[in-house]
Amino acid sequence: MLRRFKGFGVVLLALSLVLSACSGTSDKEVEASSKTTNETKVVRDQFGEVTIPTHPRNMLVLDSIYAEYLIEMGVTPQMVIFVPEIEPEYRASYFEEHGVQMIEAEQYQYNYEQLLTLSPDMIVSAGVGMEQGVYDELSKIAPTVALDSNSEMQIAMPKLAAVFDKTEESAKVLAEFDGKAKKAQEKIAQAIGNKTVLVLRVEHNRYRFMGPKGGSSSVFFYETLGLNSPEVIKDSTDWFSQFSLEFLSEMNPDYIFLEDRTLKGYDTKESMDNLKESKVWASLNAVKDNHVFPLKTSDFVTGVGPIGSAKLLDYVVEKLVP
């Protein structure tokens, strides 16, 4: 009986030591986890300095293209604002694949009450074009980084990387795309030489052309791919400029990428019909040579992240290189 008791005591002592050791480790892990969760840092954005969590656990991104930038550099946000009408086809499945919750919303509008119910611990957005009042409302919901940038990949991605300490990863992604773009540019130059390319936008009550020095998407077409705009607009610094149909004959491009503007509640049918039925349209080199190609708003406005840019690049090469 005594031996049994002694043996049982040894077992109890050993078990107690094991449990004690496990308990100690668990306490340390909880403490470390809590410390990591509560860590903050100060970053600068469009509106000044803002204190953000170092390791956000419920981050909301207001621009889907910014969410794509973050994912590609190794930072996966928990939520993203998603406007179905303007999103490129690949992006919904892309977000699903990475476990990002898509919060459907209307373009150019924020439902602050809806955002509040999401309980984000950090909000990320493009800051260029954002009004102070909007920023203030967002900041009431969660610490908000309104990046001092537009959506242009070469500008926005490095700035986002600096906020999340992912500069090396960002540089790698951009370098890979630059290599692909350089090859595409060489193919296009060899195929069409100095021929001109116009990006033409059809809206419900007007027509606009993309300025080659207008920034944002203009950079993709006229800098990244090295396309030549019609001579008469080569110095245009507006992203899109309104023009009359008669001006088309002065531009007379060799190639046209034709955007049928997509926007909720927007009907461009009459404008498109008037364009294609006009004598000016029929007289254009691009039209006579069957060099007019459709361009989706979503593919070049909101779709030019690392994934979308590569897809659009392939599309342009497909159309311009026989």
Side-chain angles (χ1 to χ4, degrees):
M1 286 290 292
L2 188 58
R3 281 185 201 158
R4 260 190 214 169
F5 184 79
K6 278 174 108 181
F8 184 62
V10 171
V11 170
L12 280 176
L13 177 61
L15 182 60
S16 174
L17 289 171
V18 169
L19 289 173
S20 176
C22 289
S23 175
T25 302
S26 178
D27 288 343
K28 288 179 182 177
E29 288 176 351
V30 169
E31 184 180 349
S33 176
S34 177
K35 186 177 180 181
T36 299
T37 301
N38 295 326
E39 285 180 356
T40 61
K41 62 181 178 180
V42 177
V43 298
R44 177 167 287 277
D45 70 358
Q46 176 89 353
F47 298 95
E49 291 187 340
V50 55
T51 301
I52 61 172
T54 304
H55 305 284
R57 300 170 67 87
N58 199 35
M59 181 179 10
L60 170 65
V61 181
L62 301 184
D63 308 88
S64 61
I65 193 169
Y66 271 33
E68 184 174 315
Y69 293 151
L70 287 170
I71 292 169
E72 290 304 302
M73 67 175 76
V75 179
T76 302
Q78 284 68 45
M79 301 175 289
V80 63
I81 294 297
F82 195 82
V83 183
E85 296 85 7
I86 63 169
E87 300 292 348
E89 291 181 5
Y90 71 88
R91 197 167 273 159
S93 58
Y94 173 80
F95 285 149
E96 288 174 359
E97 178 187 339
H98 288 90
V100 181
Q101 181 184 0
M102 289 168 277
I103 311 300
E104 290 198 8
E106 292 188 28
Q107 191 176 15
Y108 306 128
Q109 295 183 33
Y110 294 130
N111 183 332
Y112 299 117
E113 291 183 5
Q114 177 194 34
L115 300 185
L116 185 62
T117 63
L118 299 174
S119 301
D121 59 356
M122 177 179 176
I123 297 174
V124 178
S125 173
V128 170
M130 180 180 285
E131 297 177 356
Q132 180 74 53
V134 172
Y135 180 78
D136 292 342
E137 289 299 319
L138 292 171
S139 297
K140 292 176 185 177
I141 297 170
T144 299
V145 177
L147 206 66
D148 181 19
S149 178
N150 57 14
S151 60
E152 187 182 331
M153 183 164 65
Q154 299 289 347
I155 297 175
M157 201 166 179
K159 290 188 176 185
L160 267 177
V163 172
F164 292 92
D165 300 319
K166 291 289 184 179
T167 297
E168 186 176 334
E169 291 83 350
S170 169
K172 182 179 178 182
V173 172
L174 291 174
E176 289 176 357
F177 176 75
D178 287 345
K180 184 178 177 69
K182 186 177 180 180
K183 290 179 181 177
Q185 186 181 120
E186 291 171 354
K187 288 180 181 178
I188 292 171
Q190 191 173 19
I192 70 173
N194 293 322
K195 289 184 177 180
T196 60
V197 179
L198 177 71
V199 177
L200 193 164
R201 169 176 280 184
V202 177
E203 301 185 355
H204 78 285
N205 60 353
R206 62 181 177 176
Y207 307 100
R208 296 200 286 168
F209 66 81
M210 179 187 287
K213 297 181 180 179
S216 191
S217 304
S218 305
V219 172
F220 179 87
F221 287 96
Y222 295 108
E223 291 184 27
T224 303
L225 292 178
L227 303 180
N228 296 303
S229 71
E231 180 69 18
V232 70
I233 64 167
K234 66 181 180 66
D235 295 320
S236 175
T237 56
D238 292 332
W239 185 31
F240 275 101
S241 299
Q242 187 174 345
F243 68 95
S244 64
L245 284 182
E246 289 71 27
F247 187 59
L248 263 178
S249 59
E250 292 185 49
M251 292 189 282
N252 197 17
D254 297 298
Y255 297 87
I256 295 175
F257 283 93
L258 184 64
E259 178 203 0
D260 189 352
R261 181 76 190 279
T262 301
L263 197 61
K264 189 174 182 179
Y266 220 61
D267 186 0
T268 61
K269 186 180 185 306
E270 185 176 351
S271 292
M272 186 65 77
D273 289 344
N274 289 339
L275 172 68
K276 293 187 174 181
E277 292 169 4
S278 69
K279 292 181 180 179
V280 172
W281 179 256
S283 70
L284 299 177
N285 291 336
V287 176
K288 289 188 288 187
D289 294 335
N290 199 29
H291 288 162
V292 179
F293 313 114
L295 184 64
K296 292 182 179 180
T297 302
S298 57
D299 287 347
F300 81 97
V301 175
T302 57
V304 284
I307 304 299
S309 289
K311 290 179 179 293
L312 181 56
L313 188 150
D314 288 340
Y315 176 74
V316 174
V317 170
E318 175 193 325
K319 297 304 180 184
L320 299 182
V321 179

